[in-house]
Amino acid sequence: GHYTIIYGAKGVGKSKIVDEVAKGHKGVVKIALTTANSRADIIKILSKKLLGNETTFDEESLISAINKSEITPTIILDVERGGSPDLIIGLQAARSFAKSFAPYCRCLIVLSEANAVLEFGYDTHRENFIFVDEMNFEEAKVLLTNMDVKISDKDLRYIAERIGTSPAMLENLASKRGIMTVTQFVNAVLAQANQDLAALPYKPILKALKEHPEGVSPEYFGNVKFEGVDMTNPTALGTSMKNSNAIIYRIECLKYVLRSTAHRTALRTYISSHVNKFPFQPLFK
């Protein structure tokens, strides 16, 4: 009866990891969803894939077929933004489906946007969370070798320490060979991270994270409101966090964290009158 939500920052390879793990296993069905898809759409797609049924789409028939199957199916719902500006529609469809079908099959939901996880967390007895972080040094080294990118350990450690090792970022680095030096590339990534920090409207979070880079619990802010929003409510902050691309709410440890190593590096030198002058006293230290 449990289902799993896989989330993390864009570009860390969530879908690729799931695809690699699924290779060679029977009964795996992956569905690419967008924000426009409904629960009925999921049932329709699954009926076609599992039953070859092109005309009748009903949940009872689908559940009956799953129960009769020799192999317990694994259903992967990969949710991307698109088709509708309202991300919540697709997320609610995926959550509703997983909740109903988890007793009969394995259900995984892969989220394209990290803070989309804020639509979950209301059913702690059924939901499991897996956070996909940046790669470690050795994993990054293997990826670059596989892409035929020759880079010294010294340069790679510099990259890892300053801007991190997300696969998408390293693929971008590979595409810039001969165009930018390592230092120029790192500086460009840090400049974008600074822009992300500037775009975040809730500067108290940045001030708290500057003092506690490992992450800050919402309770740190007591009952303080900033720009009319309760700082202890991650869901209330969710929209702006998605738009700013700087802060992630880690639902499995209940903390606000910076999205990447690049953002942590940028925050160490980030200067803002809003950050420095925010007068609140945190509830917890």
Side-chain angles (χ1 to χ4, degrees), residues 90-109:
L91 294 173
Q92 288 178 342
R95 184 180 63 196
S96 174
F97 171 85
K99 183 177 178 179
S100 296
F101 277 76
Y104 312 105
C105 59
R106 302 182 188 92
C107 294
L108 285 76
I109 301 173

Side-chain angles (χ1 to χ4, degrees), residues 142-210:
V142 169
L143 176 61
L144 288 170
T145 299
N146 289 342
M147 291 191 294
D148 198 29
V149 175
K150 293 179 173 59
I151 187 170
S152 68
D153 282 4
K154 180 180 178 182
D155 280 346
L156 183 53
R157 290 194 187 280
Y158 174 70
I159 290 168
E161 290 170 3
R162 297 285 290 172
I163 59 174
T165 55
S166 79
M169 187 270 293
L170 292 178
E171 288 170 358
N172 190 21
L173 170 67
S175 71
K176 297 294 191 294
R177 283 181 295 176
I179 301 173
M180 301 175 74
T181 66
V182 167
T183 301
Q184 288 172 334
F185 182 80
V186 168
N187 288 341
V189 173
L190 289 177
Q192 179 60 58
N194 266 295
Q195 290 181 24
D196 293 341
L197 297 178
L200 183 72
Y202 302 110
K203 303 307 181 188
I205 297 180
L206 295 185
K207 181 175 182 180
L209 285 171
K210 198 161 188 174

Side-chain angles (χ1 to χ4, degrees), residues 15 21 36 39 66 85 102 118 123 137 145 152 211 269 275 278 285:
S15 295
V21 172
R39 175 171 170 152
I66 289 172
L118 291 168
D123 195 355
F137 178 83
T145 299
S152 68
E211 298 172 1
T269 56
V275 171
F278 185 65
K285 283 194 174 181

Side-chain angles (χ1 to χ4, degrees), residues 9-56:
K10 283 183 177 294
V12 294
K14 301 178 292 293
S15 295
K16 287 183 181 179
I17 288 171
V18 172
D19 289 344
E20 285 296 318
V21 172
K23 275 184 181 177
H25 293 280
K26 296 179 179 178
V28 177
V29 180
K30 184 177 180 181
I31 302 174
L33 301 177
T34 72
T35 50
N37 288 123
S38 66
R39 175 171 170 152
D41 293 331
I42 299 173
I43 300 298
K44 182 176 180 179
I45 295 167
L46 275 178
S47 294
K48 288 182 178 179
K49 291 198 172 191
L50 291 178
L51 308 179
N53 195 331
E54 297 288 341
T55 57
T56 305

Side-chain angles (χ1 to χ4, degrees), residues 223-284:
N223 293 316
V224 170
K225 289 188 176 181
F226 186 77
E227 296 188 358
V229 177
D230 182 358
M231 300 295 293
T232 64
N233 186 341
T235 304
L237 300 177
T239 300
S240 62
M241 288 197 293
K242 293 171 194 171
N243 292 339
S244 74
N245 212 29
I247 302 293
I248 288 174
Y249 184 67
R250 289 284 300 273
I251 200 166
E252 79 284 7
C253 59
L254 306 178
K255 287 184 176 181
Y256 298 119
V257 300
L258 286 160
R259 183 173 68 88
S260 70
T261 300
H263 291 90
R264 289 191 287 274
T265 300
L267 186 59
R268 288 200 290 267
T269 56
Y270 181 73
I271 298 173
S272 167
S273 58
H274 294 290
V275 171
N276 295 331
K277 293 181 181 179
F278 185 65
F280 89 103
Q281 292 296 322
L283 183 62
F284 300 112

